[in-house]
Amino acid sequence: METAGEKVVMTFSSHFDAQMMRRRLGGKLIPVPRSLSSSCGSALELDAAGFDPANVTGPFEGWYVFDGKEYKDGKAYQHG
């Protein structure tokens, strides 16, 4: 994955799930950006460097790559 300055934003269905994932992966909790949707309003922001979604288990709704301008769905980004 190309990662120069990119961030990964993960969304969750509950604030508790977001907190637990932060404990496991690090990063910081942020409000969900308006262009994304989430049931709980909490998201986790991580550096894209070293992020491998195949190694992330647990309840999260989705993940997105932020390149400084727009959010791209992680699944489409990974394959595109």
Side-chain angles (χ1 to χ4, degrees):
M1 175 187 290
E2 295 293 323
T3 60
E6 295 175 333
K7 299 288 185 180
V8 169
V9 175
M10 300 176 72
T11 58
F12 301 88
S13 60
S14 76
H15 185 70
F16 178 80
D17 290 341
Q19 288 275 16
M20 293 294 100
M21 191 67 74
R22 184 189 61 77
R23 286 185 180 186
R24 288 181 40 215
L25 300 178
K28 67 177 181 177
L29 291 177
I30 62 169
V32 175
R34 289 185 185 200
S35 60
L36 306 178
S37 68
S38 174
S39 300
C40 76
S42 294
L44 180 63
E45 181 182 75
L46 305 159
D47 288 327
F51 179 79
D52 183 358
N55 293 331
V56 178
T57 59
F60 62 94
E61 289 183 340
W63 64 278
Y64 305 85
V65 176
F66 183 63
D67 63 7
K69 297 179 183 175
E70 64 180 332
Y71 292 90
K72 299 175 187 172
D73 185 284
K75 292 177 187 174
Y77 186 87
Q78 187 176 14
H79 295 42

